[in-house]
Every structure is written in structure tokens, then in C-alpha cells.
Amino acid sequence: MTSMNDYKQASPLSETVRYEERQGVALIVIDNPPVNGLGDTVRRGIAQGIVRAQANAAVKAVVLRGQGKVFCGGADIRQFNTAAATASPMLRQVNLSIERCTKPVVACIHGVALGGGLELALACHYRVADSSARMGLPEVNLGLVPGGGGTQRLPRLIGVADAARLITSGKHVGAKEALQLGLVDAIFEDDLEQACMAFALSMADSHPVLPVLADIQVPPPEGELPDFDRLHIGINPKARNAIAQRAAILCVKSAMDLPFEQGLDKERELFEELVAGEPSKSLRHMFFAEKEAAKFVGKDCDVAEGHICRVGILGAGTMGGGIAMAFANAGIPVVLCEREQAALDRGMALIERNYQISVSRGGLTAEAVKERMQHIQRTLDLSAFAEVDLVIEAVFEDMAVKRDVFVQLDRICRKGAILATNTSRLNINEIAAVTRRPNDVIGLHFFSPANVMKLLEVVRGELTADAVIARCMQMAVAIGKIPVLVGVCEGFVGNRMLTGYWREAGFLLEEGATVQQIDAAMQAFGFAMGPLAMADLAGLDINWATRKRLASTRASHLRYSRVADSICEQGRFGQKTGAGYYRYEAGNRTPISDPFVEALITDCAREAGIERRRVSDEEIVERCVLALVNEGARIVDEGIAQRASDVDVVYVNGYGFPAWRGGPMFYAQSLGWTQVLAKIRDLHTRHGEHWIVAPWIEKQALNDILAQP
Ligand code: COA
Ligand code: NAD
């Protein structure tokens, strides 16, 4: 692209938009880092640029482009729900002024044109791109519909069926596909700006009548119409953005049913409804929370020095195999080491089977699988780890086994290699202490299935070096994970919170709720799965072992539910044994209610002297969710998580908390901290010391009171 020096002659149209005239072309340049978001000053600047270009007879054509990495990343999301978002001119007006300009306006797209950025480009008469550009209307991912005419112009440009697919999925398309769809008019490789200026001038000379999408008739030719009913049925009601997807279909339908201006009105009406609602606010919170969580600024962190190019994985079980796939999928070579041939063969067979499932579903080609499998070298010899940059240990969850393994890794691995453990709950400081390099030891807590789940808890030990953390955070992003930095404690962030959540579920069972009622209530709240079905999936024996390990540390005056223990005592460990809180038929994961368990629960309640009563769904949701919130607040207080939003990122991406509620901490904030504090104090009074309120919540409530006018 053109350098800054070329713009010495450029004059500002606003704080974020420059204007220049060259060779009969007016260049309007958006310069609003980091992604040229369409904030108020950008909208104002572009509108003024169009007026100026229109007024100068020497200008034959207009080119609109972005400074920096991208053309435009869309509306400035941070400005939503503020006065700046609705400051005049709105994007609708800007787009109409572009569309009605009598000189050809060409969008010059590099990097991305997303959301409002693509809507801006759609208002231009022509669009050209470089070959690496990506385009899309991803608003549904934020719980929104496009609000700047995208749902009305895109169907007019590429047909209703393709437009409906792009708008409801929120997916990006690359320049090549965009060209095939007719979304862009040309792709240029070198000096995009110069090529775009030449293109604009040639259009001015050869095309006296400009293509204006607003003037095009929909519906398009027969055969291109989508089946709107099928589109509706195809929406997964549990999808984080189901509401926005339904609204997007309505918008596209309006493009067919209504005149252009009325279609714009309908789109705006739905946009405004969604942007004011909690689901979109929550999804926008998640967008920024996930970006924030991945940030780590430490001392002495020259990450460029420490790229992770080769990884050793110890243990080819459930986790080791999935972790190997996660790296192989990102093109990073892996050495997978087991203690015996049979386990290694089993692990590799499982990896192969998982890949074959992707091939049979059309997600991967056979060649891609071959390439990925070639990235996974197998061995029974630990010395194969001598040259790797990072080792991830995924052997049994047993401190003695882990210590033994780390002594060996310390001996074999080269200086500077990172030694990581995938432990779910064990103390990383204890593991680090058996090595001569505790600074290089870290926890990398992947979630199962590790090749699919996006969350990665990066666990910082007492002595872990900042540079090691920074390298791991960067590696996580490179393999498509969402990293969250956490400190050492029992269960880190996610599993620690789960303890309180399951504790309340156990108490509620004793008090009179049924297994199905608890799961149904939590699913109705929005969880992907209820807590008890989830426990069956994870395996009840794992938590039983943890409870036994921690039994001596449990305060005797605190209430304890024996329900989970008594289920385990029957050899019922969940899905893997065909029975847990539910029973399961062979080869089928559907939970079936089991009167045997109901009888066990009644016995536990009787032994504990609890008189069973009718428990409401509201009580179930309140106690389970507030248990998460209170523990999450403690975790923030103790510095185990860096920020409350990190707790949300963990819980949404690892534990099925509904993203459209923004995670437990954001949800609590939207309820209001004063109200949350009052509810937890009440639970403390009624249900005892498990409910001692976290001081962090008291602070939030006080801040809220002080902030009131
Ligand atoms: N509004 C406001 N800020 C935005 C933004 C937007 N539309 N898009 C990105 N940003 C911010 C990010 O929060 C980040 O800020 P930070 O540096 O303070 O953390 C910064 O821009 C860079 O974004 P990042 O995602 O880290 O850069 P990238 O190069 O990996 O990706 C995009 C750039 C544009 C592809 C990506 O940010 C994206 O998909 N943005 C959302 C686009 C969208 O949904 N637009 C429709 C809005 S309705
Ligand atoms: P698993 O039993 O499926 O696999 C463990 C593997 O390690 C086995 O194949 C075993 O043969 C191998 N192994 C044991 N000792 C070894 C040694 N000395 N050298 C080489 N290989 C050895 O266990 P898993 O579920 O994959 O769990 C592994 C680790 O990941 C545990 O620490 C566990 O807590 C953690 N984890 C598990 C999950 C989960 O959902 N399963 C989730 C997150 C973290």
C-alpha cells in the first residue's frame, strides 16, 4: 500500500479520515487504528469526502480505502449503546450519499471488510480487493444483525440464497470466493491502491450509468431463493446467537418483500432491538473478554526469541491424543511418547479414527488427514524429547507418577525447553520442585476433547518465568485456543468453581429436587448440559478421588452431601460404566432417569436428617449460579484470575455457561451487585457457611452504590 509520505498533501476531513486528489481520483482514507472501526468521526469524514469529491469537476472517480492492516473491521463495537454510535451521520446516511454520488466510488479492500466495513463497500459502486482480503457480515456472532443496509444490499448483489447463507452464518469469505459470488469486481495483486485508481478511472470512462444496488429489483431469477422455513429450522436453538440468526432471516426476507427504504427501516428496527438487549451486550462482552484474556505483559518477555516449533507430548490417552491433534492441526510437529506399545497403538488408532470421522463428515480431505498424521511422530523412548521446545505431560493424575516423569524430563530436555503439565488439579509448584528448572515449569490445562475445546488454562507456578508464560500464551493463540492465565490452587479456576456448583446440586437433591429437575432447570437457564448429566459425562470417580484426597482438609462443621459418594460406592461412575446419576443403554449416551438413584437420594436425605420439600426451578438456578459467582469472586480476590472477565471466558468456553449471558460474573453484574450481595447474604442465613460472601462482591456493591447519582 501507499506509504505515509505519499499523503503529505492529504488534508484531514475529520480526526480519522484524510482526503487527497491524484490523477483525477479523490482518495478517501480511513485512518482509525486498530481496525478502522466506523466511529462517529470516521462516518463524518467519509460523508464530507464524498461531498468534496462530488463538488470538484476535476475529480472523475473516488477510491475509498483503509490505512494500516485492514480496509475496515466494521462498526466501532465499543461505541454501541453510547451517544457516539447514533451521532449524525449514521452509516445509513453515509452509505446513501456514497450510492448517490454521480462519480464511480470504488472500495479498495485489503485485509478485511467486515460488518459495517463490508456494508460501506456494498454502498460503493464497485469493489476491488487484494487476494488475501476477507469479507463478511459477522454481526450475528455479536448477537446483532447488520445495521447499515448490508441485509438489503447483499441479496441484491449476490442473490438471496448466498446472501442469506453469509448473513446468518456470519462467516467470512476470501477474495477468490468473493469474486465467484460477484461480491468483488476484480482482484489485484500488486499496488492495490494504484490498480484501484486505474480501475476507478476506467469505470468513469466506460460506464456512464453507475450500478446502484438500491435500484435493483429483488427477488432474483428463479432457483436462487432460499427455503426460509428450512433456514429457520436449521438454526440450533442452543446456539449462542440463535435470536440474531432468526432476525437476520427476517431482514433478508424483507429485502425480497419490501421496497429498499422500507427494508432498511426493518433492518434498523431489528438492529436496535438487538443492540439494546442483554444477549448482544453479553456477546460483545465475551468478544472483548476473550481478546483481553489472551494478553499478558510480563518482564523479560521477548517472545520472538522463543517460538514453539516442535512439541513433545507424554501419554497418548484421552488428553495426550487430543493435544497432539491440536498441534498437528496447526501444522506444528509433535512427538508423542507412551510407556508401552499397546497404549501407543491405542492412542494413535483413536487419533486416526477421530480424523476419519471428520473426513466422513466432509470437514477434512483425506490428504489433509495424511499431512496431519505425518506431523505426529510416535515413540516409546523419552530421549526423543531432547530437542523439543515444549513438553506437555498428560500421564495419569497421580502426584507420584508426575514427579517421577518430571525428574526424567528435567534430565532429558534441552536448556530453555518448557516443561508443562496438563494436570487438572495437582499442585504445579510441587511438580516444579522436583526439577532443577522450576522457572521453566508451567501448567497447560487443556479441556476434553482437546482438539475441539478452545479453552486453555495457562497455570502459572510460583516460580514460572514471565517469558515462559508469554511464549505459552502466544503458542495457545497460534493453535487456535483461547488462553486464560490462572494461578495455582485446588482446581485452578474452572474446576474450583465446579466444586461449589456441584455442591449446591447435591444439597438441592437432598432437599427435594430430582436429578432431571436440576438438569432441566439449568438447561432452561441456557447451560449446554445440566450439572448432573455433565458429571456423568466427566466421570464421577475423578471427583470421588479428589474428595477422598481432600477429606482431611474439610471443616467438620460444614454441611456435606453424601449423594455423589453413595452413587460412586455402587460402582456407578457415569457414562463410562453405563450408570451414574442416570442410567445409559449400551452404545447410547442419552441419560435415562433411574428410580434407584432417587431412592439413594432419599436415603441420604433421611440419614442427614433433612426433611424433603418442593424445590422450585428458580431456587435451583439461583443457588447453582450464585455458587459460581461467589467462588468466581473469591478467585478474583485471591489473584488466581487476573480479571473477572477471565472467569467468564473460562466458564463460557470450558463449562457450557451460556455465552449470551456473558459468563457468571457478567451475568451477576447485569443483575446488579447490590442485589447479588443481598441474595448471597440471604443464602448464608438460610444455608450456612458455604455462603460466606466473597469480599470482592461487597466491594462491587459498594462501588455501585457510590456510583449512583
Ligand atoms: N470495534 C472496536 N474494536 C475492535 C473492533 C471493532 N469492530 N474489531 C477489533 N477491535 C479491536 C480489538 O478489540 C483489539 O483491540 P485491543 O488491541 O485493544 O485488544 C484490536 O481491535 C485488534 O483486534 P484483533 O482482533 O486483535 O486483531 P486481528 O488483526 O487479529 O483481527 C479483525 C482484526 C477485524 C479481523 C477482528 O478484530 C474482528 O473480527 N473484529 C470484529 C469484526 C466485527 O465483528 N465487526 C462487526 C461489528 S458489528
Ligand atoms: P488417560 O488415562 O486417558 O491417559 C493417560 C496415559 O498416560 C495412558 O495412556 C498411560 O499409558 C500414559 N502413561 C502413564 N504413565 C506414563 C509414563 N510414565 N510415560 C508415558 N506414558 C504414561 O488419562 P487422561 O484422561 O488423558 O488424563 C491425563 C492427564 O490430563 C491427567 O493429569 C488428567 O487429570 C488431565 N486432564 C484430563 C481431562 C479429561 O477430561 N480426561 C481433562 C483435563 C486434564
Side-chain angles (χ1 to χ4, degrees):
M1 295 300 292
T2 311
S3 78
M4 285 296 288
N5 284 340
D6 297 326
Y7 285 92
K8 279 197 288 256
Q9 308 304 322
S11 57
L13 290 163
S14 75
E15 296 89 314
T16 51
V17 181
R18 296 193 305 271
Y19 180 93
E20 188 195 0
E21 286 167 9
R22 253 198 278 152
Q23 299 153 22
V25 177
L27 277 151
I28 301 175
V29 183
I30 312 169
D31 188 2
N32 187 25
V35 297
N36 293 329
L38 290 166
D40 51 342
T41 60
V42 173
R43 298 194 304 270
R44 180 158 43 83
I46 296 171
Q48 285 176 9
I50 294 293
V51 171
R52 199 189 291 187
Q54 182 72 60
N56 186 348
V59 168
K60 300 273 177 281
V62 183
V63 165
L64 179 61
R65 75 164 186 86
Q67 184 70 34
K69 282 199 305 186
V70 300
F71 171 72
C72 176
D76 188 333
I77 305 170
R78 289 190 199 274
Q79 285 193 353
F80 285 150
N81 309 112
T82 69
T86 47
S88 185
M90 301 276 281
L91 186 57
R92 175 173 174 166
Q93 275 69 49
V94 177
N95 285 345
L96 288 172
S97 75
I98 293 173
E99 202 160 44
R100 295 298 165 199
C101 181
T102 57
K103 301 168 186 185
V105 184
V106 183
C108 176
I109 302 171
H110 76 291
V112 297
L114 295 177
L118 183 59
E119 294 181 292
L120 189 65
L122 286 169
C124 296
H125 304 111
Y126 303 99
R127 288 147 292 281
V128 306
D130 71 11
S131 56
S132 61
R134 285 180 296 124
M135 283 145 262
L137 293 173
E139 283 85 348
V140 287
N141 298 329
L142 299 171
L144 296 170
V145 291
T151 65
Q152 305 306 298
R153 288 192 180 90
L154 193 61
R156 286 169 162 83
L157 182 63
I158 66 169
V160 182
D162 283 327
R165 179 175 57 85
L166 283 189
I167 297 169
T168 55
S169 69
K171 286 205 173 113
H172 303 176
V173 291
K176 216 166 130 197
E177 191 182 344
L179 187 65
Q180 281 160 2
L181 287 168
L183 179 49
V184 297
D185 299 285
I187 297 177
F188 296 115
E189 291 300 335
D190 301 322
D191 199 346
L192 182 64
E193 182 187 270
Q194 197 55 45
C196 186
M197 284 169 62
F199 177 90
L201 285 173
S202 76
M203 289 300 127
D205 288 341
S206 58
H207 287 66
V209 181
L210 295 172
V212 171
L213 291 175
D215 297 342
I216 293 176
Q217 277 298 115
V218 240
E222 244 176 78
E224 278 191 46
L225 294 181
D227 180 340
F228 286 104
D229 291 339
R230 274 190 64 181
L231 275 178
H232 263 289
I233 293 165
I235 295 172
N236 175 1
K238 284 190 186 163
R240 52 168 69 188
N241 58 0
I243 303 171
Q245 286 189 60
R246 288 195 193 98
I249 295 175
L250 279 183
C251 289
V252 177
K253 215 165 170 303
S254 304
M256 287 177 49
D257 299 342
L258 300 174
F260 183 72
E261 288 282 338
Q262 285 178 34
L264 287 185
D265 291 343
K266 182 73 192 164
E267 177 194 85
R268 192 69 209 168
E269 179 194 318
L270 288 164
F271 173 87
E272 274 170 12
E273 207 175 288
L274 290 168
V275 82
E278 282 305 320
S280 172
K281 284 183 188 161
S282 304
L283 289 173
R284 282 178 268 147
H285 161 74
M286 288 309 301
F287 173 82
F288 289 114
E290 286 170 6
K291 293 204 180 294
E292 207 57 31
K295 286 181 188 160
F296 171 73
V297 185
K299 282 177 282 163
D300 186 23
C301 295
D302 193 352
V303 179
E305 297 271 310
H307 270 299
I308 289 165
C309 302
R310 195 170 172 77
V311 179
I313 295 168
L314 189 61
T318 312
M319 293 309 290
I323 297 169
M325 288 174 79
F327 282 99
N329 293 347
I332 298 176
V334 164
V335 189
L336 184 59
C337 179
E338 255 290 345
R339 54 184 181 154
E340 52 191 38
Q341 190 65 45
L344 188 56
D345 292 344
R346 259 197 319 275
M348 288 305 298
L350 186 61
I351 292 175
E352 184 115 39
R353 196 161 73 234
N354 285 335
Y355 276 139
Q356 287 315 328
I357 292 173
S358 301
V359 173
S360 65
R361 289 182 182 159
L364 275 182
T365 61
E367 293 77 63
V369 168
K370 198 166 153 216
E371 199 180 309
R372 288 172 197 208
M373 289 299 288
Q374 278 168 356
H375 280 313
I376 307 176
Q377 182 197 324
R378 56 206 86 174
T379 183
L380 295 176
D381 180 5
L382 204 59
S383 62
F385 285 177
E387 290 307 320
V388 299
D389 304 310
L390 161 71
V391 174
I392 302 173
E393 163 280 305
V395 304
F396 302 131
E397 185 78 333
D398 178 318
M399 185 53 101
V401 177
K402 304 252 191 218
R403 279 163 169 266
D404 179 45
V405 157
F406 270 78
V407 168
Q408 294 181 59
L409 291 175
D410 188 25
R411 194 162 32 80
I412 288 166
C413 295
R414 66 169 179 76
K415 186 168 171 281
I418 299 173
L419 309 185
T421 170
N422 182 46
T423 180
S424 311
R425 285 180 175 264
L426 298 178
N427 188 323
I428 283 155
N429 299 327
E430 253 180 70
I431 295 173
V434 302
T435 71
R436 292 160 300 171
R437 44 171 124 178
N439 300 9
D440 292 335
V441 177
I442 194 164
L444 290 178
H445 184 212
F446 287 82
F447 287 70
S448 181
N451 51 314
V452 177
M453 295 290 283
K454 291 219 155 232
L455 178 64
L456 179 67
E457 283 185 334
V458 176
V459 192
R460 148 185 234 158
E462 247 164 38
L463 298 176
T464 310
D466 281 5
V468 169
I469 297 170
R471 287 171 70 195
C472 288
M473 301 290 276
Q474 195 205 41
M475 170 281 292
V477 174
I479 64 168
K481 300 293 177 198
I482 302 171
V484 180
L485 182 61
V486 304
V488 175
C489 66
E490 175 59 38
F492 314 127
V493 170
N495 285 341
R496 171 169 161 182
M497 288 168 67
L498 205 48
T499 304
Y501 179 64
W502 274 332
R503 175 199 76 214
E504 283 310 305
F507 289 166
L508 287 156
L509 285 174
E510 285 180 335
E511 288 167 38
T514 65
V515 171
Q516 296 75 12
Q517 186 195 4
I518 292 179
D519 280 351
M522 297 313 289
Q523 276 190 289
F525 176 80
F527 269 89
M529 248 181 158
L532 304 172
M534 182 167 92
D536 273 359
L537 177 66
L540 304 185
D541 50 333
I542 299 168
N543 290 310
W544 194 27
T546 306
R547 287 195 298 279
K548 286 191 269 195
R549 175 166 58 84
L550 298 175
S552 60
T553 61
R554 197 165 54 231
S556 56
H557 67 284
L558 284 179
R559 178 177 168 194
Y560 179 79
S561 162
R562 278 220 7 99
V563 171
D565 291 351
S566 68
I567 291 176
C568 289
E569 283 157 12
Q570 301 297 318
R572 301 172 66 114
F573 296 151
Q575 284 191 16
K576 60 181 154 190
T577 57
Y581 283 98
Y582 296 90
R583 66 180 182 82
Y584 300 86
E585 280 170 359
N588 194 331
R589 290 166 174 271
T590 314
I592 303 168
S593 64
D594 193 341
F596 180 79
V597 172
E598 293 305 326
L600 269 184
I601 294 167
T602 317
D603 289 349
C604 287
R606 189 175 340 97
E607 280 162 25
I610 294 166
E611 196 170 321
R612 299 189 87 215
R613 62 185 168 90
R614 197 193 148 272
V615 176
S616 71
D617 291 355
E618 293 71 39
E619 180 175 356
I620 292 170
V621 169
E622 181 173 298
R623 281 170 63 180
C624 290
V625 172
L626 289 184
L628 291 176
V629 172
N630 206 27
E631 198 60 38
R634 245 181 253 292
I635 282 169
V636 178
D637 246 340
E638 291 169 20
I640 295 292
Q642 295 186 94
R643 345 169 159 86
S645 61
D646 285 2
V647 173
D648 291 333
V649 174
V650 168
Y651 237 75
V652 166
N653 290 294
Y655 297 84
F657 194 98
W660 53 272
R661 292 197 191 265
M665 309 313 280
F666 185 80
Y667 173 68
Q669 185 188 316
S670 58
L671 288 180
W673 288 111
T674 346
Q675 198 193 342
V676 168
L677 177 63
K679 279 180 187 287
I680 295 181
R681 281 189 176 146
D682 179 50
L683 287 165
H684 184 188
T685 313
R686 286 191 288 127
H687 297 286
E689 289 191 31
H690 282 299
W691 284 105
I692 291 176
V693 69
W696 191 83
I697 294 181
E698 285 169 337
K699 267 183 267 163
Q700 302 310 305
L702 185 61
N703 287 343
D704 278 2
I705 291 166
L706 292 175
Q708 271 167 18

